[in-house]
Amino acid sequence: MTPRPTINDVARKAGVSKGAVSFAFNDRPGIAPETRERILETARAMGWTPSSRARALSVSRALAVGMVIARPPETLRADPFFPSFIAGVESVLAESGYALLLQLVPEDDEGHASYRRLAEQGRVDGVLLTDLHVDDTRPALLAEVDLPAVVVGPDLGEGLWPAVGVDDGPGIAAVVEHLVSLGHTHIAHVGGPAVMVHGRSRRDAWAAALADAGLAPGPFVESDFSAEGGAAATTSLLDLAEPPTAVVYANDLMAMAGLAVAVARGIDVPGRLSIAGYDDTELAAYLQPPLTTVTTDVTGWGRAAATRLLDLVEQRRPTEPVLSTPRLVVRGSTGPAPHDVPDSSTKERP
């Protein structure tokens, strides 16, 4: 068998020192760009890659980043956001020789103990901070334990860590504007937990869009982003004395469950009830009727967040994230408002 090439073989073939090969693969300054490219090309041609363990020792890093998620496993399992986001993260980490350490923790813990253990044990070089809470204390904790982080979501304005996020307000507003253009005046919202930043921001965007259209506030039900929660919320809305003619859901999972509840009760969608979601998950286009929703590039979001975190860990110049703006995708689950329902005005509902 042909012996596996070593770093010395690459250095000899490229006409450089062993240290130069190490510098090239660790993206460290001190060698010319053309020399770096020659080394990398020589290594590719020879089929040589550095040992992860040796590289970690040489740069005094764990070569891993963490993501601590405070959600029940059953909720996370069904949420299509995280697989797409993690796929984007992994595509960047794999190219850079880093691993992802994923931990699930109890919701009431918010991951504080886990973050401290990760920092104390040196198991990760930085973390991606997801599922932001209003008045979230985790950024301050990470600053305290000196664990680099990137906030996945809106900038909290604390100046502690960089944020990589997309404003979800325009997407929700576009859904409401679409429904208003179809004649709907009684538009409900099924939102995520108010303690979560994106749960509150989507509710605020829904309320603001109704006000901009001169409409009274519609009914609101707080849920938990799960299918079970979406189904229960939809049931409560349909049981109202004056049920809405349209419902805007904070994610596709709740919207799909709501659609199933409506159809099971014999309600014509979209003839009697229009339904819209958020995320444009893969199944959204294959429902009956297909789901009107807001599309976002979640995989690209994961790539941008991972890239920014590695910039921070390796003390490189920040890469400016380029993220797609959320965009409304109109499908068959929304249609004109039924004519035999009372009109809503700017007057407050009793």
Side-chain angles (χ1 to χ4, degrees):
M1 295 180 60
T2 304
R4 185 179 184 277
T6 67
I7 188 173
N8 291 325
D9 297 327
V10 174
R12 190 180 309 108
K13 183 76 172 178
V16 297
S17 67
K18 177 180 172 181
V21 176
S22 177
F23 272 42
F25 272 86
N26 292 317
D27 199 23
R28 294 171 61 184
I31 58 175
E34 57 271 18
T35 303
R36 183 189 312 275
E37 184 55 38
R38 185 172 80 250
I39 293 170
L40 297 178
E41 179 57 37
T42 300
R44 281 193 293 268
M46 298 180 68
W48 180 83
T49 55
S51 157
S52 297
R53 180 176 177 82
R55 184 180 171 212
L57 291 172
S58 69
V59 297
S60 300
R61 295 196 192 108
L63 293 181
V65 302
M67 198 159 84
V68 179
I69 302 176
R71 288 201 193 190
E74 55 272 18
T75 301
L76 183 67
R77 178 188 62 196
D79 190 338
F81 172 86
F82 281 101
S84 297
F85 182 79
I86 290 172
V89 170
E90 283 283 20
S91 67
V92 170
L93 297 184
E95 291 177 356
S96 304
Y98 280 74
L100 176 65
L101 177 62
L102 179 65
Q103 289 190 347
L104 298 184
V105 299
E107 288 183 277
D108 55 1
D109 177 66
E110 287 192 15
H112 286 68
S114 293
Y115 289 121
R116 288 189 182 278
R117 282 195 299 271
L118 290 175
E120 291 169 359
Q121 297 171 6
R123 298 180 64 189
V124 298
D125 302 306
V127 294
L128 294 167
L129 193 59
T130 64
D131 280 347
L132 294 179
H133 283 211
V134 178
D135 301 322
D136 206 313
T137 59
R138 291 175 297 168
L141 168 67
L142 294 171
E144 176 192 333
V145 299
D146 196 25
L147 188 60
V150 165
V151 173
V152 179
D155 191 338
L156 298 177
E158 298 175 337
L160 297 173
W161 305 111
V164 175
V166 178
D167 183 2
D168 47 21
I172 293 291
V175 174
V176 175
E177 291 164 6
H178 164 65
L179 293 169
V180 170
S181 73
L182 293 171
H184 292 275
T185 59
H186 191 19
I187 303 170
H189 181 50
V190 175
V195 297
M196 301 182 86
V197 170
H198 60 305
R200 178 171 294 189
S201 66
R202 294 178 191 185
R203 179 183 180 178
D204 290 347
W206 161 78
L210 288 176
D212 289 343
L215 298 176
F220 167 75
V221 180
E222 181 177 329
S223 188
D224 60 358
F225 290 120
S226 73
E228 182 181 6
T234 304
T235 298
S236 67
L237 288 173
L238 297 179
D239 286 341
L240 292 174
E242 185 184 338
T245 64
V247 184
V248 178
Y249 293 81
N251 73 350
D252 281 357
L253 195 59
M254 294 193 296
M256 290 188 283
L259 175 60
V261 168
V263 171
R265 292 177 66 150
I267 296 173
D268 180 12
V269 178
R272 298 293 303 178
L273 179 68
S274 286
I275 287 177
Y278 193 103
D279 285 332
D280 195 20
T281 56
E282 186 176 358
L283 287 177
Y286 300 98
L287 300 175
Q288 192 54 250
L291 184 66
T292 291
T293 184
V294 176
T295 186
T296 57
D297 183 7
V298 178
T299 302
W301 194 358
R303 285 195 296 266
T307 298
R308 186 65 187 89
L309 181 57
L310 293 189
D311 289 342
L312 192 64
V313 166
E314 299 190 354
Q315 300 181 357
R316 301 189 301 236
R317 179 176 298 177
T319 303
E320 190 65 31
V322 179
L323 298 173
S324 302
T325 302
R327 177 176 54 84
L328 175 65
V329 178
V330 177
R331 298 194 180 104
S333 66
T334 52
H339 297 296
D340 55 343
V341 294
D343 186 39
S344 297
S345 68
T346 54
K347 296 179 181 178
E348 292 292 331
R349 295 184 179 278

